[in-house]
Amino acid sequence: SKVQSFTIISHSSVLRFRENRPSMREMAEELRCNYIVEGSVRRAGNRVLVTVQLIDAREDTHLWAQNYERELVDIFAIQSEIAREIADQLQATLSPKEIANIDAVPTNSIKAYDYFLQGRAILRQEGGYADPEVISPAVELLESAVNEDVDFLQAWVLLVKGYSNLFRTSDDSLKNQFLNKAQNALALAKAIDADDPWTRLAASYYQYRVERDFPAALNELTGGGALPRLAEFMQLEALISRRTDLMDRAIKLNEEALELDRGNVSIWREYAENLFMARRFKESAQAWTRAAFLEPQASDYRVRRLENDFLDSADVSFVGRLEEYDSDSGEFWLLWIQERKLGDFILEIRADKD
């Protein structure tokens, strides 16, 4: 959030309500928020019509509404006006720094911004940073964005992340190419503003994904002062903390990130994994249940939930249920029990709980 007194729920958590929309109260309860901003954007040639309204979701009442019809080049000015008006309606006092943040323009090129939004939307898909077939078209769009505006910082930041993942997932013959591109994108981001939190995020991600230097990644991210209260920053710090044996810190960051982005299945998945590694099996099972709710087609989430139910209870009947979903998983746990002997295993689980 650009205003310290506001906690803004991530866009990805809200998108899933587009198809099956609950009531305002139900949406607010699910997102754990008090107010909802609802709007639409229609474009006709070089003009744009923006309709926006602020709703008190607890009472399902409208607090404020406004229409804006401007030239397309004024879109960032409209965003700034809307943010200021909402702050005023919610009686928030803006500091000079917050006003500057609201008024900041990410790029002077509407075309570059359009390419950026398309590329970012692709990367925000589930698995967007893990699948080269998904990353590549997103990277092409982001490259088009920086070709339109070489000083577009946030586009360079996403390119660092995209190239870093292509380096990690591509064949050996392509690794040097993507390594050079990631390094170049990071250098250009630093040249624009080395102290910007998004540049620090890019530098940290490069260390985490490419160099695999986790202490350096943590220092890049946190060594430059306070970070924005955004799920992306918390999620990256949680990943790094897990790999530097700061598991309690990683779990806490997962929980803070989920307050802002409860619909992000990747955070739920990482949270469940961290709880499992901390041997908090019951909580891990609950987290896998939530991940399965958000992504019902992923049957492995149900397998992971049952594994945690089994480890939490030492009830062998869960292994039979596991075999219904995944025979390999069920067989693994049966062999695991036999090797440890069931009585010893139950004592081990009980000792963990004590």
Side-chain angles (χ1 to χ4, degrees):
S1 171
K2 295 181 179 181
V3 180
Q4 189 173 3
S5 56
F6 293 164
T7 296
I8 308 298
I9 303 301
S10 174
H11 180 67
S12 61
S13 285
V14 180
L15 273 181
R16 61 195 178 86
F17 296 124
R18 181 181 290 176
E19 299 296 330
N20 300 305
R21 177 169 168 168
S23 70
M24 283 294 171
R25 286 193 180 92
E26 290 171 331
M27 199 182 306
E29 184 176 345
E30 171 69 18
L31 296 173
R32 298 184 181 179
C33 68
N34 295 327
Y35 303 96
I36 291 175
V37 178
E38 184 178 51
S40 64
V41 179
R42 284 185 288 175
R43 181 175 173 179
N46 289 324
R47 294 192 67 79
V48 62
L49 174 63
V50 178
T51 300
V52 62
Q53 53 187 340
L54 176 65
I55 301 165
D56 184 334
R58 299 163 298 182
E59 304 295 332
D60 200 359
T61 57
H62 289 68
L63 302 178
W64 165 80
Q66 184 68 47
N67 294 325
Y68 300 85
E69 186 173 359
R70 305 278 180 81
E71 294 294 324
L72 186 59
V73 294
D74 293 331
I75 190 66
F76 298 122
I78 296 173
Q79 290 180 0
S80 177
E81 285 184 41
I82 292 171
R84 286 170 177 261
E85 188 62 43
I86 290 172
D88 184 59
Q89 291 293 326
L90 298 180
Q91 300 180 346
T93 301
L94 301 179
S95 69
K97 182 178 179 181
E98 288 170 335
I99 292 171
N101 287 338
I102 288 172
D103 292 341
V105 175
T107 174
N108 292 316
S109 169
I110 294 298
K111 196 171 182 180
Y113 195 60
D114 189 35
Y115 284 132
F116 168 77
L117 291 177
Q118 292 180 64
R120 186 179 67 176
I122 293 172
L123 291 176
R124 281 180 168 176
Q125 296 173 20
E126 180 56 30
Y129 284 110
D131 185 348
E133 291 185 4
V134 176
I135 301 171
S136 295
V139 162
E140 289 178 10
L141 287 162
L142 293 165
E143 289 172 338
S144 296
V146 296
N147 286 337
E148 292 292 331
D149 180 3
V150 72
D151 294 322
F152 192 173
L153 176 60
Q154 289 193 20
W156 284 117
V157 169
L158 288 189
L159 278 171
V160 172
K161 296 178 74 174
Y163 292 141
S164 296
N165 281 283
L166 286 170
F167 166 81
R168 184 56 54 188
T169 57
S170 295
D171 295 336
D172 289 344
S173 60
L174 297 173
K175 284 191 180 296
N176 280 340
Q177 173 189 336
F178 292 123
L179 174 62
N180 291 334
K181 287 187 172 184
Q183 291 172 338
N184 183 59
L186 180 56
L188 287 165
K190 288 183 175 180
I192 295 167
D193 189 347
D195 297 325
D196 189 282
W198 288 103
T199 305
R200 290 159 51 197
L201 179 85
S204 176
Y205 196 87
Y206 173 82
Q207 290 292 337
Y208 171 79
R209 197 76 174 111
V210 176
E211 300 294 342
R212 309 301 281 173
D213 187 336
F214 305 127
L218 189 61
N219 183 62
E220 289 281 9
L221 187 64
T222 63
L227 294 169
R229 184 170 163 73
L230 295 172
E232 292 143 291
F233 289 83
M234 297 171 186
Q235 187 175 13
L236 178 56
E237 188 180 347
L239 287 169
I240 300 166
S241 296
R242 170 179 168 175
R243 284 159 179 79
T244 50
D245 296 324
L246 300 172
M247 188 58 70
D248 289 343
R249 174 66 177 162
I251 290 171
K252 183 175 185 294
L253 286 161
N254 289 148
E255 291 168 347
E256 290 177 0
L258 287 169
E259 289 178 13
L260 302 174
D261 198 357
R262 293 189 63 76
N264 189 323
V265 71
S266 68
I267 302 177
W268 280 106
R269 194 171 55 234
E270 291 159 14
Y271 182 44
E273 291 281 9
N274 289 340
L275 289 167
F276 174 82
M277 292 177 68
R279 302 177 76 86
R280 291 163 60 176
F281 301 125
K282 185 174 183 178
E283 293 168 87
S284 180
Q286 293 168 346
W288 282 118
T289 298
R290 182 64 182 177
F293 170 77
L294 293 170
E295 197 176 4
Q297 70 274 19
S299 60
D300 57 311
Y301 296 170
R302 293 191 292 274
V303 171
R304 297 302 306 277
R305 183 195 68 208
L306 285 168
E307 287 175 346
N308 279 279
D309 283 336
F310 162 56
L311 289 167
D312 178 61
S313 64
D315 184 346
V316 182
S317 68
F318 279 110
V319 177
R321 291 173 61 191
L322 264 172
E323 289 188 298
E324 296 175 17
Y325 286 113
D326 188 325
S327 59
D328 289 340
S329 180
E331 184 179 355
F332 168 81
W333 285 112
L334 281 173
L335 290 170
W336 191 81
I337 292 168
Q338 289 169 5
E339 288 176 2
R340 283 163 174 75
K341 298 182 181 179
L342 181 59
D344 293 341
F345 166 69
I346 292 173
L347 289 174
E348 180 183 338
I349 293 296
R350 287 177 179 168
D352 271 349
K353 288 183 177 181
D354 294 338

